[in-house]
């Protein structure tokens, strides 16, 4: 998930007038209006997503090594809102067959899950492969394929082996070699059956939140420096893993390999040139610093961000810029290394330099761009403090990507809503319906959107929030040793959307009993 950068709340009436101009100018029909009869294409992929540390449990079982989240929750329990851990989580290590049964109940065609690097390579290094870890993922993959559910594997979803972190983690220039070695083990064991891979999930949250601030493990908080070193190293690591797949395994097995980024919907506070430019700077700081090296025409980091950081660095007394661009050889090596653009999208904001305050550390990437953000006071607030429901935000996000990179294939690899729990989750139902209507708006305009993965299949360990925030289509009873999963109303609604390939605003589940339809 992604974290808010904060900002004041301003009156709704002014913002909504601006939103009509900014968000609806390219849409012929009224924003937010549910238009019955529109259908998703037959080849549009519907799925759900999870991540290894958040659901698997079995944190030290069957030879698994320690990762940075294991280390954090055990050495600094106060960092987690409810002092919980992922030691057991949803116990998917032992209950993967129930997870697959839930996928069959929903009728999804694909399941996106991540692998635990330290479950496969306990020390992080490829000299010792943990066969029990390989067997667990073989079992899961085979169970999925048994029921014609396509697995899509994310190699890295934030749980770096602790031994590698002690060597500098994503700040060590050798991390790309370590990641390539890990990727080779994964491809060797699974690419005969798995045809879709994602190298890294949300590099911004790895780099900015883990190394540039203290909202994700390893909580390094090396502001203005750590996130930039990490951004450089992680791009090269991704490229190594991509080229390995593309050159060795794709010719043998077919398939695709991509990269997933967290992208907020960002719009200008006003129609002034300054606010439009603020959107561009915020885009560069939040996600284009990670995606431009792969998808832009020229490669490398965004030009304006490079110039701003160099200028700020010099003024702050640094002998060189804190953000070092790639060499021409590195740019060529990284550019084009993704078969699709994976986007995790949740929320949005309005941007303006007039909203910037001195709340950010110096140096920091937010201080480098001097842009502030705000939200409307009537955007529905989720359980997560960083998350508000911005109107038509999926469409806006798709347009941001299309305008920047052209007709790139896009998969929404995460989208969902956080609550405090409970089975009757009307806010989540409304969010999914609105998000998928917004996706239909994007399809109507010819945006190359190929699929949608709901976050998440079930409640899980929500990082520093622990179990205080729930994203699941299925509720998990953490007081029950069996970790019983119970479908929420949103699960029935999502199932109906998948089955009919339409968003029906009037659909109500006929019962609270979830069954498996024929063919699943």
């Amino acid at each position: 998930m992604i974290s808010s950068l904060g900002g004041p709340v301003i009156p709704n009436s002014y913002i909504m007038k601006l939103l009509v101009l900014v968000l609806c100018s390219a849409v012929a029909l009224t924003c937010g209006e549910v238009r019955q009869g529109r259908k998703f294409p037959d080849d549009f992929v519907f799925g759900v997503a999870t991540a290894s540390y958040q659901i698997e449990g079995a944190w030290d079982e069957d030879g698994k090594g320690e990762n940075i989240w294991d280390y954090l929750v055990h050495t600094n329990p106060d960092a987690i809102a409810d002092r919980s851990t992922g030691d057991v989580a949803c116990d998917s290590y032992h209950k993967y067959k129930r997870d697959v049964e839930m996928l069959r109940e929903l009728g999804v065609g694909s399941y996106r899950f991540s692998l635990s690097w330290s479950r496969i390579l306990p020390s992080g290094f490829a000299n010792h492969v943990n066969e029990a870890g390989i067997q667990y993922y073989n079992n899961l993959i085979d169970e999925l394929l048994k029921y014609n559910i396509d697995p899509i594997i994310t190699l890295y979803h934030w749980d770096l082996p602790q031994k590698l972190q002690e060597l500098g983690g994503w700040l060590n220039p050798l991390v790309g070699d370590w990641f390539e070695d890990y990727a080779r083990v994964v491809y060797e064991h699974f690419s005969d059956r798995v045809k879709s891979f994602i190298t890294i999930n949300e590099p911004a949250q790895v780099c900015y939140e883990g190394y540039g601030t203290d909202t994700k493990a390893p909580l390094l908080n090396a502001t203005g420096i750590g996130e930039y070193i990490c951004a450089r190293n992680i791009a090269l690591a991704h490229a190594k893993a991509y080229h390995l797949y593309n050159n060795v395994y794709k010719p043998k097995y077919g398939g695709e390999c991509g990269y997933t980024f967290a992208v907020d919907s960002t719009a200008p506070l006003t129609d002034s040139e300054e606010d439009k430019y603020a959107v561009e700077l915020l885009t560069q700081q939040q996600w284009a610093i990670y995606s431009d090296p792969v998808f832009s025409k020229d490669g490398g980091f965004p030009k304006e961000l490079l110039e701003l950081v160099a200028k700020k660095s010099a003024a702050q007394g640094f002998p060189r810029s804190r953000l070092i661009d790639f060499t021409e050889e590195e740019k060529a090596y990284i550019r084009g290394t993704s078969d699709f653009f994976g986007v995790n999208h949740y929320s949005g904001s309005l941007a303006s330099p007039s909203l910037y305050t001195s709340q950010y550390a110096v140096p920091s990437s937010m201080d480098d761009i001097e842009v502030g953000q705000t939200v409307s006071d009537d955007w529905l607030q989720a359980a997560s403090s960083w998350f508000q429901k911005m109107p038509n935000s999926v469409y806006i996000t798709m347009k941001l990507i299309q305008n920047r990179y052209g007709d790139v294939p896009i998969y929404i690899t995460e989208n969902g809503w956080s609550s405090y729990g409970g089975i009757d989750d009307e806010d989540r139902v409304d969010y999914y319906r609105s998000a998928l209507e917004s996706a239909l708006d994007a399809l109507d305009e010819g945006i190359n959107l190929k699929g949608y993965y709901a976050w998440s299949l079930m409640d899980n360990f929500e990082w520093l929030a622990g179990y205080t925030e729930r994203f699941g289509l299925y509720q998990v009873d953490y007081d029950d040793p069996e970790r019983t999963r119970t479908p929420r109303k949103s699960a029935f609604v999502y199932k109906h959307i998948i089955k009919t390939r339409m968003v029906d605003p009037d659909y109500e589940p006929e019962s609270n009993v979830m069954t498996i339809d024929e063919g699943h």
Side-chain angles (χ1 to χ4, degrees):
M1 323 316 297
I2 54 180
S3 294
S4 171
L5 297 174
V9 173
I10 63 176
N12 166 66
S13 58
Y14 180 54
I15 291 179
M16 292 313 294
K17 289 178 182 178
L18 295 169
L19 283 175
V20 171
L21 294 173
V22 174
L23 311 185
C24 301
S25 58
V27 185
L29 294 166
T30 305
C31 276
E33 180 183 328
V34 176
R35 280 147 279 164
Q36 297 187 48
R38 295 193 301 170
K39 299 190 73 170
F40 287 92
D42 290 341
D43 61 352
F44 188 87
V45 177
F46 283 106
V48 293
T50 62
S52 55
Y53 184 76
Q54 294 180 275
I55 68 166
E56 283 181 4
W59 80 275
D60 62 349
E61 196 169 328
D62 291 341
K64 178 185 169 294
E66 185 180 42
N67 64 47
I68 56 176
W69 282 94
D70 296 323
Y71 180 82
L72 173 62
V73 300
H74 296 145
T75 61
N76 185 13
D78 288 335
I80 312 302
D82 55 2
R83 295 176 60 88
S84 62
T85 74
D87 290 0
V88 179
C90 305
D91 199 23
S92 286
Y93 187 74
H94 299 106
K95 302 184 183 306
Y96 69 90
K97 288 189 176 181
R98 171 58 181 142
D99 295 350
V100 175
E101 183 180 50
M102 290 149 60
L103 299 172
R104 296 172 63 206
E105 289 170 354
L106 291 170
V108 299
S110 181
Y111 179 42
R112 177 186 172 226
F113 61 96
S114 76
L115 308 181
S116 168
W117 187 339
S118 60
R119 193 178 296 284
I120 293 173
L121 304 178
S123 69
F125 294 104
N127 62 309
H128 169 60
V129 178
N130 180 27
E131 292 302 326
I134 295 294
Q135 188 59 52
Y136 167 66
Y137 293 116
N138 273 330
N139 291 342
L140 174 58
I141 291 165
D142 291 344
E143 187 76 4
L144 291 167
L145 294 176
K146 178 180 177 181
Y147 297 107
N148 299 312
I149 300 169
D150 293 330
I152 177 167
I153 282 179
T154 301
L155 274 70
Y156 183 74
H157 197 131
W158 306 354
D159 49 354
L160 191 73
Q162 178 61 21
K163 292 295 185 184
L164 300 188
Q165 183 56 44
E166 291 168 4
L167 294 173
W170 290 102
L171 303 191
N172 190 316
L174 297 177
V175 71
D177 294 333
W178 306 337
F179 187 63
E180 182 183 23
D181 293 342
Y182 162 57
R184 182 177 290 106
V185 173
V186 171
Y187 299 151
E188 278 290 331
H189 285 89
F190 307 131
S191 59
D192 60 330
R193 288 155 295 151
V194 177
K195 304 307 178 186
S196 295
F197 291 91
I198 293 169
T199 56
I200 294 163
N201 179 77
E202 296 185 0
Q205 283 56 51
V206 177
C207 296
Y208 177 72
E209 296 196 28
Y211 292 88
T213 63
D214 58 357
T215 54
K216 295 287 185 296
L219 310 187
L220 192 65
N221 205 25
T223 63
I225 299 171
E227 64 260 51
Y228 292 145
I229 298 173
C230 176
R232 203 174 189 284
N233 289 343
I234 209 166
L236 288 163
H238 154 77
K240 283 176 179 286
Y242 176 85
H243 284 300
L244 175 63
Y245 183 79
N246 197 57
N247 295 336
V248 178
Y249 298 93
K250 187 173 184 176
K252 186 175 181 180
Y253 297 114
E256 58 184 358
C257 184
Y259 200 175
T260 280
F261 310 88
V263 182
D264 268 359
S265 299
T266 309
L269 176 64
T270 74
D271 62 356
S272 71
E273 293 304 312
E274 292 81 7
D275 287 357
K276 292 176 183 176
Y277 185 56
V279 170
E280 173 60 25
L281 291 182
L282 196 62
T283 293
Q284 293 186 16
Q285 185 268 344
Q286 288 190 332
W287 56 275
I289 185 176
Y290 307 100
S291 56
D292 269 14
V294 176
F295 290 98
S296 68
K297 178 182 177 181
D298 297 324
F301 290 132
K303 179 176 179 289
E304 292 82 2
L305 187 62
L306 282 166
E307 293 173 350
L308 283 173
V309 179
K311 182 179 178 181
K312 283 267 190 174
S313 298
Q316 291 159 355
F318 287 92
R320 65 192 63 83
S321 177
R322 291 175 279 107
L323 177 60
I324 305 299
D325 202 6
F326 302 97
T327 66
E328 292 304 313
E329 182 180 9
E330 289 169 333
K331 288 179 185 178
Y333 183 72
I334 298 168
R335 190 168 60 246
T337 56
S338 189
D339 297 327
F340 56 86
F341 191 110
V343 54
N344 293 352
H345 169 71
Y346 293 91
S347 192
S349 67
L350 301 161
S352 173
S354 67
L355 298 170
Y356 180 74
T357 67
S358 57
Q359 64 180 299
Y360 299 104
V362 177
S364 69
S365 57
M366 283 303 293
D367 177 71
D368 287 335
I369 63 171
E370 296 188 6
V371 171
Q373 299 166 264
T374 190
V375 298
S376 167
D377 59 2
D378 78 339
W379 293 359
L380 186 64
Q381 179 66 51
S384 310
S385 62
W386 51 266
F387 190 176
Q388 299 82 32
K389 181 183 176 184
M390 182 182 188
N392 218 24
S393 66
V394 169
Y395 170 82
I396 302 161
T397 299
M398 299 302 103
K399 287 297 292 184
L400 286 170
I401 297 167
Q402 184 192 55
N403 290 342
R404 195 169 195 91
Y405 303 126
D407 191 36
V408 58
I410 302 170
Y411 287 89
I412 297 173
T413 44
E414 286 183 25
N415 181 247
W417 181 258
S418 67
S419 66
Y420 295 110
I423 296 297
D424 191 15
D425 55 345
E426 290 292 347
D427 285 353
R428 183 174 288 107
V429 167
D430 290 344
Y431 183 89
Y432 274 122
R433 283 173 171 161
S434 296
L436 286 163
E437 280 290 335
S438 196
L440 283 166
D441 289 341
L443 287 167
D444 285 348
E445 197 160 307
I447 293 174
N448 194 8
L449 179 59
K450 311 293 286 185
Y452 177 95
Y453 290 78
W455 184 272
S456 179
L457 173 60
M458 57 192 153
D459 294 337
N460 48 59
F461 180 84
E462 184 51 31
W463 312 115
L464 293 190
Y467 299 104
T468 64
E469 299 170 8
R470 306 295 185 95
F471 277 85
L473 292 166
Y474 283 71
Q475 178 174 266
V476 177
D477 184 354
Y478 292 103
D479 295 324
D480 182 351
E482 293 300 314
R483 296 299 195 267
T484 302
R485 290 99 151 106
T486 304
R488 292 190 166 101
K489 180 178 179 179
S490 56
F492 292 93
V493 170
Y494 190 47
K495 175 177 182 171
H496 187 260
I497 291 170
I498 295 170
K499 184 175 182 178
T500 63
R501 309 196 80 77
M502 296 173 60
V503 180
D504 181 354
D506 300 319
Y507 170 74
E508 289 291 332
E510 294 179 359
S511 76
N512 61 357
V513 177
M514 183 70 84
T515 58
I516 298 172
D517 291 344
E518 185 177 351
H520 288 280

